[in-house]
Amino acid sequence: MEHIFYSLQDFMVYTKGITYLIMGGLLVLLPLFWVFVAGNDEKKELF
Amino acid sequence: MAITRRKFLGWMGCAAAGSATLAGTAAYGASNKEFKGHPGSFGVLHDTTRCIGCRKCEKACNEVNKMPDPKVPFEDLSVLETERRTSVHTHTVVNRYAPSKQASSEKQHPIFVKKQCNHCLEPACASACFVKAFKKDKKGPVGYDETLCVGCRYCMVACPFNIPAYEYDNPLTPRVMKCTMCLPRIEEGKLPGCVEICPREALVFGKRDDLIREARMRIQKYPDLYVDHIYGEHEMGGTSWLYLSKVPFSQIGMREDLGTTSAPQMTAGALSAVPIVVGLWPVLLTGIYAISKRKDKVAEEEAQEAIAHVKEEAETALASELAKLKEKMTKEKETAVTAAVKKAMDEAAAAAQAEEKAKTEEQKAPEAESDVEEEK
Amino acid sequence: MAFKLPPVSLKIEATPGNIITGIILILGFGLTVMRFYGGLGAVTNLDDTNPWGIWIGFDLLCGVALAAGGYVTSASCYVFGLKRYHSAVRPAILTAFLGYALVVFALHYDVGRPWRLPYPIFVSPGTSSLLFEVGLCVFLYLNVLFIEFTPAAFEWLGLSKIRGIVMKMTMALTIFGVILSTLHQSSLGALFLISPSKLHPLWYSGYLPVYFFISSMFAGMSMVIFEGSLAHRYLHDKMDETHLKESDGVVLGFSKAASFIMMGYLGIKVIGLAIDNNWHYLFTGWGAWFLLELLGFVGLPAFIYAIAARDKNVKLARIASVIAVLGIVFNRLNISIVAFNWHLPAAQRYMPSWMEIVTSVFIVTVGITVYRFITANMPVLYEHPDYKHEH
């Protein structure tokens, strides 16, 4: 079911709420992925 | 009107298409979607040409909101001498404006304007509030929840109409105070206090859409009485309170330079940059880090290579030197041996000669031979 | 775990500086009582039209901008690989942490119900607000700075195991810190995007967040140089050879960087004028004020920095840093107070009360006192002998 937004304000609160959660996820995932990309040789140097 | 089966299906189709459109557009970013406000929300039309400045609305507001009695009673109209703004205990004020001097004779009466929260369709206070203490109700009013308020007063910075007031003298539980459009009364089916008491119908309560139509009609009917503008129809994205005036609004204390951009639109760009920074900065910075790290590593490797090279060269040089030395020594040895052998041979030859010449010197030759052997 | 509290030096001598500090602290406590007994109205000149005074304009905006030295220095050292800056990182992190802690401390005075400060994050997040963004980032960054500073405390306390764990996270923390700083430094500028009708057009711009972020970089560098010169004068005995040897390099390196960034900042400020077609305002009184800010407090220090960097003149760099720091204060106060509500008649404008000013001075004094205590005891300006030669 799709919620209908009647005001930009409500829309912003909703969408920014979700983007903040995604931001949190990115901040966790990106460093982990970098550790994966960098492989074993750089692992010790990064963290 | 009879509803035929065909018509009914048609409606259903429209409804389905309509909801699909809404659902579809809701998924887009804010950039290409227009929000029209809560359908059927209420508002108030304030026709300043009808206001007589009796301050009855101020009194009603005071009573409805159970505010303390003012220092100057509401019947005393001398307060109109100075321009006032809303404050903690007065959620609405009436101001008097002198007519402009160039105006024609019929416009010579003073103009009274009631001031209160305009209940924006896209409230700046709500957009600014970091705890969602302000909320635009679907019925129209912008409400305030004091159980959430931290008291940062950013709403007051944000409000383009300078409406919210703050309990500066309350040390522990200060609230932001402003007109509620009498939401509790609206929910009971009553009119807002100020509208109900207005003796001149300078205030009309109704659905905002209807009020805009009504205002247009008045402008059309009496073009000499009104400037052709409904203040609040588009200002700051539109407000639930609407105003009509016979002089330009800037002459009656209302800013005409606010524009039609709503508060959430003004901050939308900056807000949308935030997640992009979060997404890209880790990549960029880790990239810069990795490059500088790599450079360090390469520099280190190069340094090591250089050292290795120098070492190798030195070793080769040393080796060749040694070889040369060895060769030289061997040569010297050989020369010495040859010389010794030659000497021995010469001596032997000389001995032989001597043997031949003198048979008495026969014992010398084996001695020389043993000398040669020793040298070897 | 072997844990022994190291000796704490708490010698307080009756020097003039200490006496003044004492007087300010006592005054501050008095004003604190007044604030929480009589409300904001009892100590401030704030009113309904001017809701933000110097506790926001100076304590929050300037405090955060001038605490930018933490992310600038740690990014130069760890991300950009300028290892010679290593001895400058720890003092910069400490001042940044103290700066942010003081900002939060100051907010407790300004905000109506300070115990609700966690509400935006934990109770009712108003995600449409830029102040939410600022609050979230400042909260997270304060934690990051705290963790980044803990190695010094762990060395002091002799907890080498935990120290090792934190040191392994240095890189991730640094990058996280730069992200958070980018966001909240810029968002502090973006706070004013919502009130174009109140802020003078010369200062209001869609680029406000960019201006705040870029200016925070040279604010941070200037503050590192400025604090360095103060520390050299008063805490020279606490510095080790590495710190003394590297500090001139840091000063000159930051002079060069700050000078160039300031020129870039001037450039984008002019672009801001052009893009909103605000040239005509330059010929008003406000324009003169604006040009004073731009030429006197950005252009001039940028030029002095450049000369300092060219001539390797550390003294000149320190002079430039003072002007640049004053320039940042000038800019932030212009935006939050001087050019805010510029259209209102003088009677409706805000002037801080002496009590507001003393409270701000009190808060800064608290910071300096804590800084002196920490640098007197913990390995900040020198390396702990047990952990030398590690990097």
Side-chain angles (χ1 to χ4, degrees):
Chain A
M1 199 190 82
E2 197 70 41
H3 180 72
I4 299 167
F5 295 100
Y6 291 108
S7 71
L8 175 59
Q9 169 57 20
D10 290 348
F11 180 80
M12 295 285 273
V13 169
Y14 176 75
T15 53
K16 296 302 162 198
I18 291 175
T19 34
Y20 272 111
L21 292 177
I22 297 172
M23 282 184 244
L26 274 176
L27 284 173
V28 173
L29 286 176
L30 282 172
L32 291 178
F33 189 68
W34 171 252
V35 172
F36 174 66
V37 172
N40 295 324
D41 50 322
E42 284 218 18
K43 209 178 216 168
K44 276 177 200 156
E45 290 167 26
L46 183 57
F47 296 117
Chain B
M1 189 177 72
I3 301 169
T4 62
R5 195 172 112 77
R6 178 186 293 264
K7 227 177 196 171
F8 178 72
L9 285 176
W11 286 352
M12 290 303 282
C14 282
S19 60
T21 317
L22 280 170
T25 46
Y28 290 117
S31 49
N32 62 345
K33 178 155 166 57
E34 210 188 329
F35 298 91
K36 304 239 168 174
H38 294 282
S41 71
F42 295 111
V44 175
L45 174 63
H46 176 29
D47 190 336
T48 60
T49 63
R50 298 187 183 188
C51 184
I52 53 167
C54 65
R55 299 186 69 211
K56 284 206 166 73
C57 51
E58 284 187 43
K59 190 179 182 199
C61 181
N62 180 286
E63 282 162 7
V64 166
N65 291 299
K66 298 185 182 65
M67 294 295 179
D69 288 334
K71 281 178 210 144
V72 184
F74 289 107
E75 288 72 25
D76 186 348
L77 298 183
S78 65
V79 295
L80 295 171
E81 298 300 327
T82 51
E83 192 178 22
R84 295 172 298 155
R85 63 154 286 163
T86 53
S87 68
V88 170
H89 295 310
T90 45
H91 294 181
T92 186
V93 291
V94 176
N95 280 319
R96 182 175 65 193
Y97 294 92
S100 68
K101 293 186 172 71
Q102 306 96 321
S104 60
S105 59
E106 64 173 334
K107 288 181 183 173
Q108 285 303 311
H109 307 291
I111 299 161
F112 300 97
V113 184
K114 180 181 176 299
K115 186 174 187 172
Q116 73 299 306
C117 174
N118 286 327
H119 299 276
C120 303
L121 300 186
E122 303 284 1
C125 52
S127 176
C129 185
F130 67 164
V131 284
K132 290 188 283 191
F134 288 97
K135 183 130 185 56
K136 177 79 176 173
D137 192 87
K138 60 180 186 297
K139 290 195 173 68
V142 175
Y144 166 71
D145 182 356
E146 65 167 277
T147 64
L148 293 173
C149 182
V150 182
C152 71
R153 309 186 299 287
Y154 187 31
C155 48
M156 299 162 74
V157 168
C159 179
F161 305 107
N162 275 338
I163 294 301
Y166 184 76
E167 294 182 318
Y168 283 103
D169 295 324
N170 183 340
L172 295 175
T173 56
R175 292 167 296 172
V176 171
M177 305 294 273
K178 71 168 198 70
C179 159
T180 61
M181 209 165 139
C182 288
L183 180 61
R185 286 174 61 93
I186 292 175
E187 277 170 344
E188 285 171 30
K190 292 188 205 158
L191 290 170
C194 53
V195 177
E196 192 181 61
I197 207 161
C198 184
R200 298 270 307 188
E201 285 187 16
L203 300 170
V204 185
F205 179 84
K207 287 187 174 162
R208 186 175 182 269
D209 297 341
D210 296 342
L211 294 176
I212 288 172
R213 267 192 290 277
E214 167 70 21
R216 286 224 181 87
M217 220 172 66
R218 289 189 194 177
I219 292 171
Q220 205 165 16
K221 234 174 172 175
Y222 308 102
D224 295 339
L225 199 56
Y226 300 105
V227 291
D228 188 9
H229 183 72
I230 306 169
Y231 194 96
E233 187 181 5
H234 299 299
E235 271 75 8
M236 290 301 291
T239 59
S240 288
W241 279 67
L242 304 161
Y243 299 81
L244 285 175
S245 168
K246 67 175 166 188
V247 296
F249 287 95
S250 56
Q251 291 178 19
I252 53 171
M254 298 168 81
R255 292 188 66 169
E256 289 184 308
D257 59 348
L258 295 178
T260 56
T261 311
S262 70
Q265 272 174 292
M266 288 170 188
T267 53
L271 278 172
S272 66
V274 170
I276 291 304
V277 167
V278 172
L280 287 183
W281 252 223
V283 177
L284 272 173
L285 294 169
T286 311
I288 293 169
Y289 162 73
I291 290 167
S292 80
K293 194 93 194 165
R294 176 99 197 105
K295 267 186 177 164
D296 285 357
K297 219 176 171 185
V298 168
E300 205 178 301
E301 276 171 12
E302 276 173 356
Q304 273 172 0
E305 263 170 38
I307 290 167
H309 188 67
V310 168
K311 212 173 156 191
E312 202 178 301
E313 250 177 13
E315 271 170 6
T316 339
L318 200 71
S320 66
E321 197 86 339
L322 273 171
K324 263 185 204 162
L325 213 66
K326 216 173 168 183
E327 209 179 318
K328 202 178 160 194
M329 280 171 80
T330 329
K331 240 180 192 168
E332 273 170 8
K333 239 182 207 169
E334 269 169 15
T335 335
V337 170
T338 330
V341 170
K342 206 184 166 197
K343 196 184 164 194
M345 293 285 273
D346 287 349
E347 274 172 15
Q353 266 180 353
E355 210 177 308
E356 276 173 35
K357 281 180 183 173
K359 279 185 178 179
T360 49
E361 284 176 307
E362 257 176 292
Q363 293 117 313
K364 256 185 182 175
E367 258 177 46
E369 257 171 77
S370 74
D371 272 4
V372 171
E373 255 173 10
E374 260 174 29
E375 241 182 278
K376 260 186 184 173
Chain C
M1 198 178 292
F3 179 82
K4 204 176 74 204
L5 199 70
V8 176
S9 79
L10 268 176
K11 271 186 298 176
I12 298 168
E13 289 164 35
T15 58
N18 283 346
I19 291 168
I20 295 171
T21 305
I23 293 170
I24 293 171
L25 292 182
I26 290 165
L27 273 174
F29 284 125
L31 289 170
T32 308
V33 172
M34 277 176 78
R35 152 68 183 91
F36 288 103
Y37 187 76
L40 279 171
V43 282
T44 67
N45 274 351
L46 298 174
D47 59 39
D48 292 335
T49 315
N50 301 289
W52 282 359
I54 59 164
W55 289 355
I56 295 293
F58 180 76
D59 297 10
L60 175 68
L61 295 184
C62 298
V64 169
L66 297 176
Y71 89 86
V72 173
T73 316
S74 57
S76 332
C77 177
Y78 296 122
V79 179
F80 294 90
L82 304 171
K83 300 228 175 67
R84 296 254 161 89
Y85 288 49
H86 193 270
S87 64
V89 171
R90 218 170 242 189
I93 295 276
L94 172 63
T95 35
F97 172 67
L98 287 179
Y100 279 91
L102 289 179
V103 165
V104 176
F105 180 58
L107 280 181
H108 283 74
Y109 285 78
D110 185 76
V111 145
R113 309 190 201 199
W115 51 92
R116 283 186 180 173
L117 277 173
Y119 273 32
I121 300 167
F122 298 109
V123 177
S124 176
T127 49
S128 65
S129 170
L130 278 151
L131 196 60
F132 169 78
E133 213 283 316
V134 172
L136 182 64
C137 283
V138 168
F139 166 71
L140 290 174
Y141 190 47
L142 193 59
N143 287 301
V144 168
L145 283 170
F146 178 73
I147 299 170
E148 280 188 306
F149 181 67
T150 50
F154 291 146
E155 284 168 21
W156 179 54
L157 299 166
L159 304 169
S160 58
K161 233 181 206 169
I162 309 181
R163 179 193 173 276
I165 297 169
V166 178
M167 291 306 279
K168 277 191 187 131
M169 299 194 301
T170 302
M171 204 50 229
L173 284 173
T174 303
I175 291 185
F176 192 35
V178 177
I179 295 166
L180 292 172
S181 296
T182 310
L183 292 179
H184 71 258
Q185 295 286 2
S186 57
S187 292
L188 278 177
L191 284 182
F192 294 92
L193 285 179
I194 206 165
S195 47
S197 58
K198 296 184 183 179
L199 186 56
H200 191 280
L202 281 175
W203 282 272
Y204 184 89
S205 163
Y207 294 134
L208 264 176
V210 184
Y211 292 157
F212 267 58
F213 175 53
I214 301 296
S215 58
S216 83
M217 290 184 201
F218 60 78
M221 292 175 187
S222 302
M223 204 59 191
V224 168
I225 297 173
F226 176 60
E227 285 161 8
S229 56
L230 288 184
H232 271 271
R233 181 166 300 172
Y234 300 108
L235 296 162
H236 199 273
D237 56 316
K238 300 285 173 202
M239 296 173 176
D240 66 359
E241 217 173 288
T242 324
H243 190 99
L244 292 173
K245 208 171 68 198
E246 287 182 1
S247 83
D248 281 2
V250 172
V251 169
L252 295 174
F254 272 173
S255 298
K256 200 193 265 177
S259 175
F260 202 52
I261 295 172
M262 285 164 111
M263 274 300 152
Y265 175 74
L266 272 182
I268 56 172
K269 283 291 250 191
V270 174
I271 287 172
L273 284 178
I275 217 143
D276 289 330
N277 200 24
N278 282 335
W279 301 106
H280 60 285
Y281 287 110
L282 288 180
F283 306 104
T284 64
W286 288 105
W289 193 248
F290 180 78
L291 287 175
L292 173 68
E293 177 193 316
L294 228 53
L295 300 178
F297 287 101
V298 182
L300 178 68
F303 186 67
I304 302 179
Y305 267 143
I307 302 281
R310 283 169 59 95
D311 297 353
K312 311 247 175 298
N313 187 339
V314 173
K315 218 173 187 181
L316 204 58
R318 287 185 175 148
I319 294 169
S321 77
V322 174
I323 306 174
V325 165
L326 288 176
I328 290 293
V329 174
F330 195 63
N331 169 256
R332 298 304 195 259
L333 288 181
N334 276 344
I335 286 170
S336 60
I337 293 166
V338 180
F340 192 80
N341 278 337
W342 65 288
H343 59 284
L344 291 180
Q348 292 178 37
R349 299 295 307 276
Y350 160 84
M351 268 300 279
S353 71
W354 70 268
M355 291 179 279
E356 283 176 89
I357 296 170
V358 171
T359 307
S360 286
V361 173
F362 161 68
I363 287 165
V364 173
T365 310
V366 168
I368 294 171
T369 310
V370 176
Y371 182 87
R372 281 172 62 191
F373 171 78
I374 292 178
T375 48
N377 287 292
M378 298 186 198
V380 175
L381 298 171
Y382 59 94
E383 280 179 278
H384 196 284
D386 295 356
Y387 304 94
K388 250 182 182 170
H389 315 297
E390 230 180 50
H391 24 266

